[in-house]
Amino acid sequence: MELDVRPAIEASRFAKYLPRKGAGSQGGTPELIQFGNGANLKFITAGGGDEKRSGFTGPVLVVTEVSHLDETGGQSDEATKLKQMEGRVRAYRASGQARVYLESTVTTEHGRMWQEWQQGTAGEVVFPCHSCGRYISPGRDNLIGWQDSETESAAERLARWSCPECGIVFDDQKRLQQLRSAVLLYRGQSVAKTGRITGKIPETKTLGFRYSAATNTFVTSAIIGGDEWRAEREVDQELAERELLQWTWALPARPAETQLEPLDHRTIMLRQHDHRRGEVPDDTIRIAAGVDVRSAQLDWFVTAEQKNGRLFCIDYGFEPILRELSDLQTALRQAIRTLQEKFAAGWEPESGTGNRSADITLIDSGWETDLIREESQRDNTWHTAMGFGFKQHRGLKYTAPKRQSRQSLRIGEGWHDVLFTQGRPLREYQNNADHWKRRVHQALSVDQDAAGALLLPRTDKPQGRAELARQLTAEREVQQFEIGKGTSVRWVQTFSRNHLLDACYMSFVGLSVLQSDAALAERRRVAATADQPEKRKRREKFVRSLHQ
Ligand SMILES: [Zn+2]
């Protein structure tokens, strides 16, 4: 108010109407200013309750930075806020007095601003080229010189405008001169070299015009060249691109959602290792299993980690919950016990004798929680897991505890344990499901020979392989851009059966827990060599308690 509005009024012939006393005369941001000629200026903000935006009527509405009120093309609360504001002038429509002024950067093609502009007069600011004389509105392609620069300052120094018609290169001084002869050209109109405009103004009640970097007198080619140069080097290319379009070029961003790392199930199908399903490769250092629970069956996935960091799916499948024979709870218990026996019996090693069993199994306890916790207490390699994230547990966000406590002894990468002491103590691994699904998809997209790459078992049954691949890619992560908030990512489901993806990511969490165990044991071993016997005993007791 003090910085933008007041000086403008003071410089105008309306200065004499500025209030000399009362609200608005002493500076600050008042809610209502009453001018000497009877006009009122009421300030309305997007924040606060609806009544703030619906209790005052007037003939003229001015809304600045509409993009903040319009993020999803008319579907959001924010769009309703804009509608509420527009409702204030309704009473003045019939008399023809109503005027609504909207100002904004451009968001998306579906955004209010772009729609209004396109369907209105769609005006463009154009100015005459000093060389060819044609009226031009240089765009992004016409800013040259920064592209080959090695440094940001070189980009700033070398950036120049070029005429889209004749190609002549000019600097800001020239551009500012040319802009003094700028004209506004509406949709369907043309302008001759003489400056004469021909063609009718489109028949619409919305007058709109757009100006962009070249027609903005407040920015220089150096600023824009520097912005472009930096954006090209941003890690998050899409975000940088959208911000440039919005803030510099006044162009709509491409669709607001973009998929990250698109994973194709057909490619996944071909990611096989040389071992048949059920065989543990040599050099396996640890084995973790994940179990997803639903009312019809338990879906499970077993991952072996090799010394070189590669991850092999050694087995996967489902255990039916036989509800025909008993009630659901009994059948569920039975299925869990069958699986406990299976995982304890283990899998045949590639060479040598003696089966390898799972070192840890994480089972989802989001449903039938008490029963699943109880059954997990029967086997000390079994623990429950609770996933948090976009699609889990009503969308609750995962939050790790800030520090260790008796309740949470360890805080790992996207997981922490929570101790339950009813019956045999049980550690439940709460985890960031989004983070771990992303890990799975990374493991499926990196080079097959890389550490951390996940490979699937060799199998002669293509249907089974296709189903596994489909389930592992049943959800994909999309990035969503919201003006004013930046980007956020979320998971969307693209295939109805996603249980093996959940089971797989839980086996990954299990591996991470085992890795953390191993690191702790190593630290203990190093420390123990220099320790007093008394202290060592205490430490060993602590470590034992982790495995209970
Ligand atoms: Zn020209």
Side-chain angles (χ1 to χ4, degrees):
M1 173 64 203
E2 276 304 291
L3 294 177
D4 297 331
V5 184
R6 193 185 179 99
I9 300 173
E10 268 172 349
S12 75
R13 64 196 156 97
F14 302 108
K16 58 181 183 232
Y17 300 125
L18 278 169
R20 298 291 161 221
K21 55 179 192 226
S25 60
Q26 305 302 317
T29 305
E31 274 199 15
L32 176 71
I33 301 175
Q34 293 181 293
F35 291 90
N37 62 350
N40 297 316
L41 187 55
K42 168 83 174 166
F43 292 84
I44 309 174
T45 58
D50 293 350
E51 69 286 352
K52 292 252 185 212
R53 290 175 294 277
S54 45
F56 193 90
T57 58
V60 179
L61 174 76
V62 180
V63 185
T64 60
E65 201 44 78
V66 168
S67 68
H68 290 311
L69 295 168
D70 174 47
E71 283 163 1
T72 51
Q75 299 304 307
S76 67
D77 286 355
E78 278 72 19
T80 314
K81 286 176 188 170
L82 184 55
K83 287 254 153 58
Q84 284 172 342
M85 291 181 181
E86 288 174 321
R88 300 310 93 222
V89 302
R90 198 176 295 127
Y92 296 86
R93 282 250 165 92
S95 63
Q97 283 177 280
R99 296 280 184 281
V100 175
Y101 298 91
L102 305 178
E103 171 275 333
S104 185
T105 54
V106 171
T107 56
T108 64
E109 279 177 18
H110 304 293
R112 176 75 185 266
M113 220 55 207
W114 193 254
Q115 287 297 317
E116 287 280 359
W117 176 77
Q118 267 198 325
Q119 287 163 26
T121 54
E124 289 269 7
V125 178
V126 293
F127 57 86
C129 166
H130 64 285
S131 172
C132 67
R134 278 185 278 240
Y135 279 76
I136 56 172
S137 182
R140 201 173 181 185
D141 295 343
N142 308 117
L143 186 76
I144 58 167
W146 64 270
Q147 287 90 343
D148 302 322
S149 307
E150 285 186 3
T151 64
E152 187 180 344
S153 45
E156 289 181 355
R157 204 173 51 245
L158 298 171
R160 291 282 185 284
W161 290 103
S162 66
C163 171
E165 296 288 340
C166 70
I168 192 164
V169 176
F170 52 94
D171 60 14
D172 284 314
Q173 213 186 341
K174 200 86 209 158
R175 184 174 65 97
L176 289 177
Q177 250 174 42
Q178 294 165 350
L179 275 170
R180 289 178 185 275
S181 321
V183 295
L184 196 52
L185 206 58
Y186 295 115
R187 175 158 47 94
Q189 290 186 320
S190 52
V191 56
K193 280 186 187 180
T194 57
R196 213 179 92 85
I197 295 170
T198 49
K200 271 207 253 170
I201 297 178
E203 235 182 277
T204 160
K205 290 186 85 172
T206 303
L207 183 140
F209 68 91
R210 150 182 187 270
Y211 67 90
S212 169
T215 43
N216 182 346
T217 54
F218 294 105
V219 296
T220 61
S221 57
I223 294 174
I224 302 161
D227 285 350
E228 286 279 8
W229 190 90
R230 273 195 316 280
E232 210 176 63
R233 284 152 185 82
E234 286 287 342
V235 180
D236 190 340
Q237 273 294 303
E238 301 202 17
L239 175 65
E241 175 74 8
R242 274 186 290 256
E243 287 187 334
L244 261 182
L245 289 175
Q246 180 185 3
W247 298 106
T248 305
W249 296 109
L251 287 170
R254 282 177 306 241
E257 272 190 0
T258 353
Q259 189 181 339
L260 298 176
E261 295 175 39
L263 262 184
D264 185 8
H265 68 91
R266 279 160 299 205
T267 321
I268 306 300
M269 262 178 76
L270 305 173
R271 281 179 80 90
Q272 296 178 47
H273 51 72
D274 295 328
H275 303 274
R276 62 179 169 75
R277 194 164 151 186
E279 184 178 86
V280 181
D282 288 342
D283 288 336
T284 290
I285 49 173
R286 45 184 81 99
I287 297 175
V291 182
D292 185 59
V293 182
R294 54 177 160 143
S295 60
Q297 63 190 52
L298 306 175
D299 294 270
W300 51 272
F301 193 97
V302 186
T303 309
E305 181 185 336
Q306 278 198 304
K307 242 188 224 152
N308 60 14
R310 288 214 291 172
L311 306 173
F312 285 10
C313 165
I314 52 171
D315 206 358
Y316 66 91
F318 66 90
E319 189 60 40
I321 295 170
L322 302 167
R323 298 170 72 169
E324 306 80 52
L325 305 177
S326 57
D327 62 291
L328 170 71
Q329 298 218 328
T330 313
L332 179 55
R333 275 182 210 282
Q334 191 48 53
I336 293 173
R337 288 176 195 187
T338 307
L339 217 48
Q340 284 173 336
E341 280 163 30
K342 181 180 172 60
F343 291 175
W347 299 266
E348 266 176 57
E350 179 185 354
S351 53
T353 51
N355 274 13
R356 284 285 302 265
S357 50
D359 300 306
I360 192 171
T361 298
L362 296 189
I363 181 168
D364 178 25
S365 60
W367 179 70
E368 286 290 343
T369 304
D370 292 340
L371 185 152
I372 287 164
R373 282 181 186 154
E374 225 175 278
E375 288 304 312
S376 300
Q377 286 168 329
R378 294 166 47 85
D379 184 325
N380 59 16
T381 63
W382 279 55
H383 299 270
T384 53
M386 192 77 89
F388 291 84
F390 183 71
K391 274 166 73 15
Q392 265 75 18
H393 301 283
R394 296 181 298 277
L396 284 181
K397 221 177 136 238
Y398 173 76
T399 30
K402 292 239 169 4
R403 59 188 70 84
Q404 290 180 329
S405 64
R406 285 171 67 90
Q407 185 78 4
S408 297
L409 285 175
R410 282 177 304 157
I411 303 161
E413 178 200 330
W415 58 262
H416 67 275
D417 62 345
V418 177
L419 180 67
F420 288 94
T421 44
Q422 277 171 330
R424 193 177 75 75
L426 172 76
R427 297 211 165 269
E428 181 160 277
Y429 290 95
Q430 299 198 345
N431 60 76
N432 182 343
D434 293 345
H435 171 86
W436 284 100
K437 283 182 210 165
R438 190 176 308 133
R439 278 275 190 225
V440 168
H441 280 192
Q442 281 166 351
L444 286 168
S445 32
V446 294
D447 192 82
Q448 298 210 11
D449 298 319
L454 174 65
L455 301 180
L456 306 177
R458 195 185 70 212
T459 163
D460 43 4
K461 276 192 248 152
Q463 307 97 303
R465 230 189 313 157
E467 174 68 16
L468 173 61
R470 274 214 189 84
Q471 289 207 23
L472 289 175
T473 54
E475 291 173 28
R476 60 191 173 83
E477 203 176 18
V478 293
Q479 198 168 42
Q480 209 173 17
F481 180 72
E482 285 180 75
I483 301 304
K485 290 182 188 160
T487 44
S488 60
V489 283
R490 62 193 188 89
W491 288 82
V492 292
Q493 197 168 335
T494 53
F495 184 62
S496 61
R497 294 188 296 278
N498 57 352
H499 313 285
L500 285 171
L501 173 60
D502 285 345
C504 175
Y505 100 68
M506 279 187 274
S507 76
F508 274 43
V509 177
L511 285 177
S512 177
V513 171
L514 294 172
Q515 287 157 7
S516 145
D517 272 356
L520 190 68
E522 177 59 19
R523 282 202 299 277
R524 180 187 54 141
R525 195 189 61 76
V526 172
T529 53
D531 255 358
Q532 309 282 330
E534 192 66 12
K535 261 170 118 182
R536 187 169 67 223
K537 235 178 237 163
R538 275 210 302 275
R539 191 185 303 269
E540 279 170 358
K541 201 173 153 203
F542 170 76
V543 171
R544 263 204 312 279
S545 73
L546 294 176
H547 297 275
Q548 280 168 358

